Each structure stands twice: as C-alpha cells, then as structure tokens.
Amino acid sequence: MILYEGPYAKKLPGHGAACEDRRVRLFDRKFGARFLDEVPAAPGVYRFHDAAGVLFYVGRAGNLRRRLGQYRLPGRRKKERKRRALVKAAARITWEVCESPLAAALAEIRLIQTLRPPQNVASAFPFLYPYVGIATEGGETYFCLTTAPEAFPAFAFHGAFRSREVTGEAFFCLMDLLRYVGHPVPRHRCRRLGSARHSYVRGFRRLPADSAEAWSTLLRGASREALEALALRLVDHAGARARREETHRALRAVGRFFRHEARTLARVRTATGYAPYPVPQEERDLLFARYRVEALT
C-alpha cells in the first residue's frame, strides 16, 4: 500500500483557466507535485481519508494513474462535482494494486460492503435488496415481499433485486390487480407463514391453477406471459375497466419491474454462468460487476 499526505486547503475562488490552475495547485499542495509519478498505471482500488484518518470514499480503476489524474483537474460538469468535493475533503489518498480490472471491481465492492464509507452509497447496503417469493397451499397462492427470506421458509424466492422502489411498487400493484381475479386470503392467515420487519405476505384463492408457476416465470425474468394474460382478463372485468387509469398504471409498474429487475438479473446470470438462485444479497453487486467488466473485455 502506498501512502501520501498533505494539509487541508481552503476553497480557492475563480473561473476559467485561472480556476483550473488553482484546482491543480490545491491537489498538488495536498498530495505533492510528483504524486501521480508514483501511482502505477495498473488496475486497483483507491481510498480517500480525511484529516482524522477516517476513510470516507473507496473507488476502483482499470488504470490508477489515469483515474487519480482525473481528480487533479476535474471538469466543471455536474457529474464531476463529486470529484472536486472529494479532493477538498481529503487529507490522504491510499491505493492497492489488483491483478486485473475485474479483481479491482470485486475488491471495491467488498470494501464498500465491509467498511461502508459515507460517500459510497451504491453497494453499501445489500441487506436491503428485496426478494419476491411465491408459495401455494391447497387452492391458495401466496406472495411475499421481503429482505429476510429466511423468515419465510414456505416460499420459493426470486431475486435478489436491486431497486426497493421498483420492486415494491410492482409487488403492491400486482396485489391490487389480483384482487380483480382472485379472492384475498384474510391477513391473519397470511401471517402464519412468517413475519419480519418490512416484509409483506398476501394470499389469494381461486386464481388459475397455473398461477404460481406463471408468476414465477415472470419473477425469474423468463417471460411476461402471466402479465399479458392478466391484462386480458382485466379487460373483461367491470371493476378494472371502471378504474382504467389505475389499472394501466399498475400494469406498467409490473412491466417496468420485469424489464429493469427480473429480466436484467436473468440476463446477467446467463451471461456469467452464475448458477445459484436466488442470488444472495451480498453477491448481487459482485455478480453485476463481473458482468460489466467481462462485457468490456
């Protein structure tokens, strides 16, 4: 591990070429004018520490020298504001060389999951990634939304999905739509299948016999035929027609989940040959990192 230190510097005003020169001087005063000369042009991970030595950001690069050079003179575009803010807050930069860009990507995620630097939001909280499960009992079909699948052993789960917003919206929209074609099971009967914080179980009677398998196929990202079949049934339902806008909005929410969560996860698993299913929460971002890096090589 290589270590460089430098004192804090105040914000330097200015614009244009003069401002660019001052930003370079700020970086050089903090970490040394020859800082980049010592950084290897190799894959790796880097860390930003504040004056108290506290780690507050982790990044990765296919070329450490090139990536850290971007912090020396960040542009003025909105997406580069974070680089400027990180340089202003940093007192030290450390790095570690990895054997490949893939190793660097995986190391970055593991560090973020373990250390949870405050400036790293993505990948820091994989335990919040939701699953959707399906279970059958007699003529009843149950659906479960949870981040704690171990609390619901009767369910076959799908996921882990990344977006709680997209997944949660789709789950509750689907539950609303199924009320038109099935009969809800009382909540107290649903609770006997398990409970956990921020988890939900809903059940229905008199759904079509193949409902569990059909919806499982959608949740696996293999086919949206179950959603299309439901849409056709809703056309013939007076209540769904009376609430046309709400019904269309709910159908779109489930379709959005299929495109952005279920089918995406299925595509990545196929491309990488990843066999375990459902995907463990802590493995999901590692799997996608592997997919992204391999797609570029």
Side-chain angles (χ1 to χ4, degrees):
M1 179 182 292
I2 310 298
L3 172 65
Y4 279 82
E5 300 187 33
Y8 267 59
K10 295 182 178 179
K11 180 178 180 180
L12 299 173
H15 301 281
C19 183
E20 291 182 357
D21 180 63
R22 287 169 179 170
R23 293 201 301 274
V24 169
R25 286 162 50 194
L26 173 63
F27 185 96
D28 290 350
R29 286 166 56 191
K30 281 174 172 282
F31 312 116
R34 310 297 297 178
F35 173 81
L36 294 176
D37 293 343
E38 300 299 326
V39 178
V45 293
Y46 57 93
R47 313 183 195 194
F48 280 68
H49 307 257
D50 64 18
V54 176
L55 173 71
F56 65 87
Y57 184 75
V58 172
R60 54 100 173 177
N63 183 314
L64 284 166
R65 182 182 299 166
R66 182 167 61 241
R67 175 58 58 80
L68 291 176
Q70 294 171 346
Y71 287 92
R72 185 170 183 260
L73 182 56
R76 303 300 303 178
R77 290 177 294 180
K78 181 177 180 180
K79 69 177 183 179
E80 294 174 316
R81 291 175 183 171
K82 184 173 182 178
R83 289 178 184 166
R84 298 196 298 272
L86 290 174
V87 170
K88 292 174 183 177
R92 296 186 297 159
I93 298 176
T94 64
W95 71 79
E96 299 172 15
V97 173
C98 298
E99 62 182 12
S100 67
L102 175 58
L106 300 181
E108 177 198 32
I109 292 173
R110 292 190 179 101
L111 285 169
I112 292 172
Q113 290 180 348
T114 302
L115 302 175
R116 296 181 192 166
Q119 292 299 317
N120 291 101
V121 177
S123 301
F125 305 99
F127 55 86
L128 296 178
Y129 294 167
Y131 294 89
V132 179
I134 297 180
T136 58
E137 186 179 80
E140 299 172 344
T141 303
Y142 292 87
F143 299 82
C144 178
L145 172 67
T146 186
T147 58
E150 66 280 358
F152 303 89
F155 287 84
F157 281 99
H158 303 272
F161 304 114
R162 197 174 199 286
S163 173
R164 298 178 68 194
E165 179 180 359
V166 171
T167 305
E169 180 186 27
F171 177 85
F172 291 111
C173 284
L174 178 59
M175 298 303 101
D176 289 339
L177 294 173
L178 290 178
R179 290 175 178 272
Y180 292 118
V181 297
H183 296 267
V185 174
R187 295 291 177 85
H188 72 273
R189 286 181 52 79
C190 296
R191 286 194 291 269
R192 62 191 171 80
L193 295 178
S195 64
R197 287 189 67 190
H198 309 301
S199 299
Y200 307 88
V201 177
R202 301 289 186 267
F204 298 89
R205 298 190 299 270
R206 299 185 184 180
L207 292 180
D210 64 345
S211 287
E213 180 55 37
W215 290 112
S216 292
T217 301
L218 182 141
L219 292 169
R220 287 198 301 270
S223 171
R224 54 177 291 158
E225 289 183 5
L227 182 61
E228 294 167 357
L230 175 61
L232 289 175
R233 294 190 66 186
L234 294 174
V235 169
D236 297 327
H237 194 286
R241 292 199 306 272
R243 298 172 176 82
R244 185 178 295 106
E245 291 187 7
E246 294 177 11
T247 300
H248 287 171
R249 189 182 308 115
L251 289 169
R252 288 195 298 270
V254 180
R256 182 165 53 250
F257 162 79
F258 175 77
R259 293 191 304 275
H260 297 304
E261 292 291 337
R263 190 168 62 184
T264 298
L265 181 59
R267 183 174 64 249
V268 170
R269 290 181 62 241
T270 298
T272 57
Y274 186 87
Y277 194 77
V279 178
Q281 291 159 313
E282 66 276 8
E283 292 291 325
R284 189 191 185 284
D285 287 340
L286 296 170
L287 172 63
F288 273 68
R290 183 182 300 276
Y291 170 76
R292 287 191 294 268
V293 172
E294 290 179 352
L296 295 174
T297 58

